[in-house]
């Protein structure tokens, strides 16, 4: 009985001792965005219990296991590291820097140490043989010995016990004294000192300027990092500690194969993630390193002859490529440009410049979305290492297997619009009148492929577009005030083949009625073969005056013949322009011109309206 009481007292004392210990956490990693922190927490929680996420300050979000007792936390960290379950640079933290909890949502952080999951799994069952029972003091009546048959004696099996192999002690590393550490630190360059500050900020210990000056804030951060790693917090990193800090910082680059490539043909030397891209493909003005093993990473080297004008032309052309998202910052200044585009799938950075010898060089990096920490680190290395060397890509250089294609530019896929339609220029500044259906759900709109435009007025049928940069169209629509005659020949100008043809196609037909099928007074009914790319295009009379604009077919349960189409009449169009603040050019002269002349007029007046 006394033994049981003593065991109970010892158990209670042990529990009180654990409760009195300070909470310790196993800090797994820190991410620079909330979404990154949530993704990291979700990934670890799929394999481990006790996962928590906290705001660390200065824009960093930490993921940690715990809390545990200090000794338990360190032992558990070592066990998980040996199993390869957590990052090699995970460390034990007291959590004093943890701010608001963001994971799990709506659940507060524990306030007392948790049992270690691995320990609980090993000790959750106690065998009967482990219990010692003392019966010597019990007053028991002797039992009458039963008569039994002589048992058959079997040989006891031989039990082989594996010897316990003690792990070899870790070698003792004699580190530098503070004086020696300060002496070795004095040999660091300014960039090396800044890199240490960057690494401390990444680890969540430094939140001040990256200036390479080791003042009080930097020293305090160094001391905090040292303590978190089990070192004495002197605030002066030894050579080995600096190497460990930078190793932890650069661990994110493992697997990228980041190394310097010297491409003599392009005349560019730069660090690229060689493990994530394939062999170079040359097609002027680019050297393409396509994604390898599903990495989703692409690298471009840009090399060619060209002055500022050609550089700016390349800037515009690059933004038509599928690999360059339309969202994000971009701009050109002096002799260089920079594009930083992103969407839900990729993040693309491209930069190039021309020098006084008329040589354009630059590079681009395409990286999958959702891996921002590695992308920014790799991009920074590429920017730092980019260097022009002798050599420039031959403008005639194309791969042997390359085939000409209107969908490719130097082997890169050109971005295609969602839809193409037609419109007509209505003033000398390039304003365009089109059908509202052509611009209803666009991210942005272009005129004739290259000129961006904005919708400045619209109703349910018509829209007026204003180019972002003023244009000077060759011609503009002239609207017919006289009422057209039934059965007259009419012509519709548009783009039935999308943007494949650079000039509009003209289709001839007839005017069947001055009203719609339901008697609409501002609608013309046409007998003409028209396509989706013709919608919004001008309808001309035989003298080249505009009598209407082609409307999209209404979605009804009634199926009309393909040749039956409708147009908003000239009166409706001039009213729409007036509402948009534009004075329409009009005529009441009824004339005639040969079809080939009318076709040339249509080319001057009609615009390709693309919805992106």
């Amino acid at each position: 009985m006394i033994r049981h009481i003593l065991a109970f007292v010892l158990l209670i004392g042990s529990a009180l001792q654990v409760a009195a210990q300070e909470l310790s956490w196993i800090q797994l990693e820190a991410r620079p965005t909330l979404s990154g922190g949530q993704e990291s927490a979700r990934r670890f929680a799929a394999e481990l219990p006790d996962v928590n996420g906290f705001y660390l300050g200065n824009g960093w979000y930490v993921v940690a296991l715990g809390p545990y007792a200090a000794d338990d936390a360190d032992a558990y960290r070592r066990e998980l590291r040996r199993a390869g379950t957590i990052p090699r640079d995970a460390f034990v933290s007291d959590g004093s820097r943890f701010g608001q909890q963001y994971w799990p949502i709506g659940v507060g952080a524990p306030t007392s140490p948790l049992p270690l999951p691995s320990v609980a799994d090993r000790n959750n069952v106690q065998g009967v043989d482990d219990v010692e029972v003392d019966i010597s003091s019990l007053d028991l009546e002797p039992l009458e010995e039963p008569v039994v048959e002589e048992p058959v004696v079997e040989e006891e099996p031989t039990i082989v016990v594996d010897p316990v192999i003690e792990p070899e002690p870790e070698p003792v590393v004699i580190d530098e004294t503070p004086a020696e550490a300060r002496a070795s630190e004095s040999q660091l360059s300014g960039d090396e000192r800044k890199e240490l500050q960057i690494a401390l900020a990444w680890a969540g210990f430094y939140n001040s300027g990256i200036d390479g000056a080791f003042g009080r804030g930097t020293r305090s951060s160094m001391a905090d990092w040292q303590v978190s790693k089990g070192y004495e917090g002197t605030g002066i990193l030894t050579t080995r500690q600096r190497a460990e800090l930078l190793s932890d910082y650069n661990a994110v680059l493992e697997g990228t194969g980041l190394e310097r490539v010297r491409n003599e043909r392009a005349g560019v030397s730069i660090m690229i993630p060689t493990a994530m891209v394939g062999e170079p493909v040359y097609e002027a003005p680019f050297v393409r390193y396509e994604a390898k093993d599903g990495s989703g990473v692409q690298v471009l080297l840009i090399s060619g002859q060209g002055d500022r004008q050609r550089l700016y032309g390349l800037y515009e052309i690059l933004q038509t490529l599928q690999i360059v998202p339309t969202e994000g910052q971009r701009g050109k200044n002096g002799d260089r440009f920079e594009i930083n585009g992103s969407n839900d799938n990729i993040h693309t950075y491209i930069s190039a410049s021309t020098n006084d010898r008329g040589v354009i060089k630059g590079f681009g990096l395409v990286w999958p979305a959702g891996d921002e920490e590695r992308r920014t680190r790799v991009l920074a290395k590429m920017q730092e290492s980019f260097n022009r060397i002798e050599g420039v890509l031959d403008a005639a250089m194309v791969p042997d297997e390359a085939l000409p294609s209107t969908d490719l530019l130097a082997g890169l896929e050109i971005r295609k619009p969602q839809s193409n339609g037609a419109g007509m220029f209505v003033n000398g500044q390039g304003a365009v009148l089109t059908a509202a259906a052509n611009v209803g759900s666009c991210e942005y709109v272009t005129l004739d492929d290259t000129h961006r435009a904005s919708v400045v007025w619209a109703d349910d049928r018509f829209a007026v577009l204003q180019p972002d940069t003023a244009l000077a169209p060759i011609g503009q629509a002239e609207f017919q005030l006289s009422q057209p005659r039934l059965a007259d020949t009419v012509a519709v100008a548009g783009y039935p083949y999308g943007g494949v043809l650079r000039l509009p196609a003209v289709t001839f037909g007839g005017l069947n009625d001055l009203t719609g099928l339901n008697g609409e007074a501002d609608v013309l009914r046409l007998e003409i073969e028209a396509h989706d790319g013709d919608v919004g295009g001008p309808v001309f009379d035989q003298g080249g005056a505009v009598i209407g604009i082609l409307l999209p077919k209404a979605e009804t349960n009634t199926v009309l013949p393909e040749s039956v189409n409708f147009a908003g009449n000239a009166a409706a169009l001039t009213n729409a322009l007036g509402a948009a603040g534009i004075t329409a050019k009009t005529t009441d002269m009824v004339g005639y011109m040969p079809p080939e002349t009318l076709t040339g007029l249509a080319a001057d007046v009609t615009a390709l309206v693309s919805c992106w």
Side-chain angles (χ1 to χ4, degrees):
M1 184 66 177
I2 292 175
R3 178 182 300 176
H4 293 174
I5 293 173
L6 287 173
F8 180 74
V9 169
L10 290 173
L11 180 63
I12 294 298
S14 175
L16 291 174
Q17 182 180 9
V18 170
Q21 294 177 352
E22 293 183 358
L23 301 183
S24 292
W25 304 80
I26 302 174
Q27 185 167 323
L28 303 180
E29 63 183 23
R31 303 295 293 271
T33 62
L34 176 58
S35 60
Q38 291 171 330
E39 188 276 333
S40 178
R42 187 179 298 108
R43 173 164 48 84
F44 282 112
E47 298 183 11
L48 296 169
D50 309 334
V51 174
N52 294 269
F54 300 94
Y55 180 58
L56 200 58
N58 199 33
W60 289 89
Y61 297 83
V62 69
V63 179
L65 299 180
Y68 308 116
D71 293 342
D72 288 349
D74 190 56
Y76 190 32
R77 178 185 68 88
R78 294 175 181 271
E79 178 181 329
L80 293 176
R81 278 187 58 180
R82 285 195 297 270
T85 309
I86 63 175
R88 293 181 56 82
D89 58 352
F91 60 89
V92 174
S93 167
D94 62 5
S96 60
R97 303 170 69 91
F98 294 173
Q100 183 177 357
Q101 185 178 17
Y102 69 84
W103 182 280
I105 300 174
V107 179
T111 56
S112 59
L114 298 174
L116 296 183
S118 59
V119 174
D121 290 342
R122 291 194 299 268
N123 301 316
N124 59 354
V125 178
Q126 184 178 18
V128 176
D129 292 341
D130 297 333
V131 182
E132 182 180 344
V133 180
D134 185 1
I135 63 173
S136 60
S137 61
L138 298 180
D139 186 15
L140 300 175
E141 291 291 334
L143 296 177
E144 186 174 316
E145 190 170 351
V147 177
V148 295
E149 297 181 0
E150 191 72 13
V152 177
V153 178
E154 298 180 356
E155 286 190 19
E156 294 185 359
T158 302
I159 299 175
V160 179
V161 179
D162 292 334
V164 177
I165 301 176
E166 296 291 338
E168 295 184 5
E170 295 183 3
V172 177
V173 178
I174 301 176
D175 211 352
E176 298 168 335
T177 65
E180 292 170 333
R182 190 180 291 276
S184 65
E185 180 186 85
S186 66
Q187 304 300 314
L188 297 177
S189 68
D191 288 341
E192 289 172 331
R193 297 166 75 91
K194 289 179 181 179
E195 189 173 18
L196 287 171
Q197 289 178 323
I198 292 171
L200 286 167
W202 168 84
F205 293 95
Y206 184 68
N207 59 2
S208 190
I210 307 299
D211 53 12
F214 291 174
R216 182 181 301 175
T218 303
R219 294 297 181 194
S220 176
S221 300
M222 289 178 174
D224 291 343
W225 180 86
Q226 287 172 317
V227 171
S228 74
K229 290 288 189 177
Y231 301 123
E232 181 183 357
T234 64
I236 307 168
L237 300 182
T238 66
T239 300
R240 186 166 70 89
Q241 290 168 358
R242 292 196 299 270
E244 181 178 354
L245 172 61
L246 294 177
S247 176
D248 292 347
Y249 172 62
N250 290 317
V252 70
L253 298 176
E254 291 181 4
T256 63
L258 194 66
E259 63 181 58
R260 180 172 289 278
V261 169
R262 184 180 176 90
N263 193 301
E264 304 281 355
R265 296 166 72 179
V268 170
S269 173
I270 187 173
M271 296 185 74
I272 69 172
T274 58
M276 308 180 80
V277 296
E279 294 299 314
V281 177
Y282 296 85
E283 192 160 359
F286 305 119
V287 180
R288 304 194 314 273
Y289 295 82
E290 301 289 351
K292 182 169 70 175
D293 299 332
S295 69
V297 174
Q298 299 179 60
V299 170
L300 290 180
L301 302 185
I302 301 172
S303 176
Q305 301 286 348
D307 55 9
R308 181 184 297 184
Q309 183 176 357
R310 188 157 188 175
L311 176 75
Y312 286 1
L314 178 63
Y315 169 78
E316 298 294 341
I317 291 172
L318 281 169
Q319 296 183 75
T320 68
L321 299 181
Q322 192 68 36
I323 62 169
V324 182
T326 58
E327 303 91 344
Q329 295 182 341
R330 61 206 64 208
K332 52 187 184 292
N333 184 21
D335 290 333
R336 72 181 305 271
F337 69 75
E338 189 174 65
I339 299 172
N340 213 333
S342 62
N343 57 26
D344 293 338
N345 300 314
I346 59 173
H347 196 144
T348 298
Y349 174 89
I350 302 177
S351 176
S353 63
T354 184
N355 62 11
D356 54 6
R357 297 168 57 188
V359 176
I360 297 173
K361 290 185 180 179
F363 78 93
L365 175 66
V366 182
W367 200 277
D371 189 14
E372 191 64 8
E373 184 173 0
R374 282 205 303 172
R375 185 196 74 85
T376 54
R377 293 285 300 283
V378 170
L379 177 59
K381 293 292 186 182
M382 293 179 71
Q383 290 172 320
E384 293 169 7
S385 64
F386 177 79
N387 187 33
R388 291 168 173 253
I389 59 177
E390 285 299 319
V392 62
L393 208 58
D394 184 354
M397 184 176 291
V398 296
D400 295 337
E401 67 276 11
L403 296 175
S405 171
T406 57
D407 296 333
L408 298 177
L409 171 67
L412 298 171
E413 186 177 357
I414 297 174
R415 188 185 305 110
K416 297 179 181 178
Q418 298 179 27
S419 61
N420 288 302
M424 65 188 90
F425 291 109
V426 292
N427 66 11
Q429 289 73 49
V432 169
L433 176 65
T434 187
N438 287 338
V439 296
S441 59
C442 309
E443 185 177 325
Y444 66 94
V445 178
T446 60
L447 303 176
D448 294 339
D449 274 339
T450 57
H451 309 289
R452 286 212 182 194
S454 303
V455 178
V456 294
W457 180 91
D459 62 11
D460 58 341
R461 291 193 300 173
F462 312 122
V464 176
L465 310 176
Q466 187 68 45
D468 294 349
T469 303
L471 301 177
I474 298 175
Q476 63 185 82
E478 191 174 41
F479 296 91
Q480 180 61 263
L481 296 179
S482 299
Q483 181 171 291
R485 295 178 299 182
L486 291 177
D488 271 0
T489 297
V490 297
V492 172
Y495 294 87
Y497 305 104
V500 175
L501 299 179
R502 307 308 304 169
L503 294 175
V506 177
T507 305
F508 290 87
L511 177 60
N512 272 11
D513 205 335
L514 300 179
T515 62
L517 291 177
N518 297 313
E520 298 92 340
D522 57 354
V523 173
L524 305 176
R525 178 160 61 89
L526 311 177
E527 181 74 20
I528 197 167
E529 297 289 340
H531 302 81
D532 290 344
D534 296 321
V535 171
V539 180
F540 297 99
D541 65 13
Q542 295 182 79
V546 174
I547 62 171
I549 189 172
L550 190 70
L551 298 174
K553 289 188 175 181
E555 296 182 2
T556 66
N557 294 327
T558 302
V559 179
L560 299 174
E562 287 294 325
S563 60
V564 176
N565 286 278
F566 301 92
N569 67 16
L573 301 184
T574 56
N575 289 337
L577 291 174
I582 296 175
T583 302
K585 185 178 180 181
T586 61
T587 182
D588 56 4
M589 299 290 293
V590 178
Y592 172 82
M593 61 177 61
E596 58 271 19
T597 306
L598 182 56
T599 300
L601 171 68
D604 295 340
V605 171
T606 310
L608 173 64
V609 178
S610 300
C611 175
W612 301 82

